[in-house]
Amino acid sequence: MELSKLTLEIFSKLEHKWLSHFKGTNKTRILSIDGGGTTAIVAGASLIHLEDQIRLQTSDPYAHIADFFDIIAGTGIGAILAAMITAADAFGRPLNSARDAVRLITERNSEMYKVKIAGVFRRQRRFSSRSMENVLKKVFQRKEEDGRFLTLKDTCKPLLIPCFDLNSSAPFVFSRADASESPSFDFELWKVCRATSATPNHFKPFSLTSIDGKTSCSAVDGGLVMNNPAAAAVTHVLHNKRDFPSVNGVEDLVVLSLGNGSTSAKAYNNPKSSTPSVVDIVLDGISETIDQMLGNAFCWNRTDYVRIQAFGLENEGMEEEEVLKERGLESLPFGGKRLLTETNGSRIESFVQNIVATGKTSTPSSPCKESAVTPLVNGR
């Protein structure tokens, strides 16, 4: 029996809708990496697994995370990882793999967060600003003999990193989009990472200026207002028609948000919790609020907004395999929570399957390809 013209039309539309959903709709892809802590165990394990899966599912051993995302955002230690995997070489290609970036954070961790004792009675525990800055300078230093450094423009994909500016008492967001528009908003990458990592009670505020000296900022940790920078990235994309002309609403976005573990439980269980631990509790709460807000914005469509988190009490001692075996909590309407059935690893694998089916991204690459730095060898 022949199908009627109306039936054929209905099936044709259904097929088109099904294919567009599963084969990709050219949605803009956002990768967000939380701040918090000094080790980035959860985010690091997630990034390595993410890139390994991309290479496995594309059969391309040289594929990078930046090839499959349109914009990458990060705060604190998450910003350092974000900057490392987007920093471009002379050909506009990613300078570091995810594994290289995480290896450096691991191998240089004691240098980046070198403890020093300060205060009149030497009771205040701080990290050495000079030690952190020396590591960041080596990571983002140019290859040329003059020793200049990579800037926001020297990234292979749009990069977004927030801090809080004490001069204006407001958030300040570093972005490649602004840097491409004017040198007054182009900053050296090592300074940007140092600014967003200036956690109160751990580091002193960090003052920096743009490469032309016209814009200045006295920065403290961006995590104070944007520990989960996913919302800032979504807002940026929705309002940046130059780089993202096809985005009209959140339905045109796909977001992968990587947490850095929950330290709240340890602080609550420890009656002698220090001020930094209390700050961690606040930051965890901010991330949870943003997670629920984005879940609501995406109509709780978990294929378009994926949040990777781990809630073990000893996150800083977790191994990569443990992080991937963890199951996160899903924010539900009206403040509800639900333990997910899938592990972090399987959720990342499903996410990669979806973005690989769509193909590589096509957003503008680095607007400044003439600068190059020497790739790190064994994190050195």
Side-chain angles (χ1 to χ4, degrees), residues 30-42:
I30 297 172
L31 173 61
S32 172
I33 311 174
D34 279 16
T38 61
T39 57
I41 293 295
V42 177

Side-chain angles (χ1 to χ4, degrees), residues 50-342:
L50 176 64
E51 192 164 81
D52 285 348
Q53 282 298 308
I54 287 175
R55 292 179 174 183
L56 177 65
Q57 296 189 32
T58 59
S59 299
D60 181 359
Y62 302 105
H64 287 76
I65 289 174
D67 296 329
F68 289 85
F69 285 89
D70 298 285
I71 181 170
I72 299 177
T75 301
I77 196 167
I80 298 175
L81 289 169
M84 287 189 69
I85 63 176
T86 55
D89 62 17
F91 304 99
R93 293 292 299 151
L95 193 64
N96 301 290
S97 68
R99 195 172 293 276
D100 289 337
V102 174
R103 182 187 298 120
L104 178 130
I105 295 294
T106 302
E107 293 181 353
R108 297 292 187 88
N109 196 265
S110 60
E111 294 178 62
M112 294 174 64
Y113 300 98
K114 183 178 181 181
V115 177
K116 70 173 185 177
I117 306 300
V120 177
F121 299 102
R122 300 186 64 79
R123 293 178 179 176
Q124 193 172 6
R125 182 177 180 271
R126 284 184 177 272
F127 295 128
S128 169
S129 297
R130 180 177 297 179
S131 183
M132 164 70 85
E133 291 164 14
N134 287 340
V135 173
L136 293 177
K137 286 177 181 179
K138 292 176 183 177
V139 173
F140 298 111
Q141 191 167 24
R142 291 177 184 265
K143 184 178 180 179
E144 294 88 349
E145 294 181 0
D146 57 14
R148 292 184 295 131
F149 299 96
L150 291 172
T151 71
L152 284 166
K153 288 177 64 177
D154 300 306
T155 52
C156 56
K157 286 294 174 67
L159 177 67
L160 198 73
I161 295 176
C163 74
F164 187 85
D165 183 14
L166 295 178
N167 292 336
S168 62
S169 298
F172 188 100
V173 180
F174 302 99
S175 75
R176 195 187 78 171
D178 292 334
S180 301
E181 286 287 331
S182 169
S184 295
F185 294 101
D186 192 17
F187 295 81
E188 292 173 346
L189 278 177
W190 80 264
K191 292 182 179 179
V192 171
C193 291
R194 174 66 179 85
T196 192
S197 302
T199 309
N201 298 309
H202 284 175
F203 290 104
K204 294 180 180 178
F206 181 69
S207 296
L208 69 162
T209 57
S210 57
I211 58 173
D212 65 358
K214 293 183 179 180
T215 303
S216 62
C217 175
S218 180
V220 292
D221 188 4
L224 296 176
V225 288
M226 299 182 197
N227 194 50
N228 179 346
V234 168
T235 302
H236 175 83
V237 171
L238 291 176
H239 291 85
N240 185 355
K241 286 296 182 181
R242 186 194 66 179
D243 290 340
F244 309 100
S246 63
V247 176
N248 297 310
V250 293
E251 66 275 5
D252 298 319
L253 304 177
V254 174
V255 180
L256 176 60
S257 178
L258 305 181
N260 260 331
S262 175
T263 57
S264 301
K266 285 188 289 185
Y268 279 126
N269 292 331
N270 182 2
K272 298 182 180 181
S273 294
S274 63
T275 300
S277 296
V278 176
V279 172
D280 286 336
I281 295 171
V282 175
L283 298 184
D284 287 341
I286 292 173
S287 289
E288 183 175 338
T289 301
I290 291 174
D291 180 34
Q292 185 172 349
M293 178 192 70
L294 286 172
N296 294 342
F298 282 89
C299 299
W300 310 293
N301 182 351
R302 293 305 161 180
T303 61
D304 287 342
Y305 176 67
V306 177
R307 172 75 172 168
I308 302 298
Q309 186 63 289
F311 295 92
L313 295 182
E314 301 296 336
N315 282 315
E316 294 199 358
M318 294 179 73
E319 298 292 336
E320 180 182 342
E321 294 78 10
E322 294 178 282
V323 172
L324 299 177
K325 290 179 181 178
E326 281 263 329
R327 292 185 294 162
L329 289 176
E330 180 181 26
S331 296
L332 297 174
F334 312 110
K337 292 286 183 182
R338 180 178 65 188
L339 185 65
L340 294 168
T341 57
E342 291 184 297

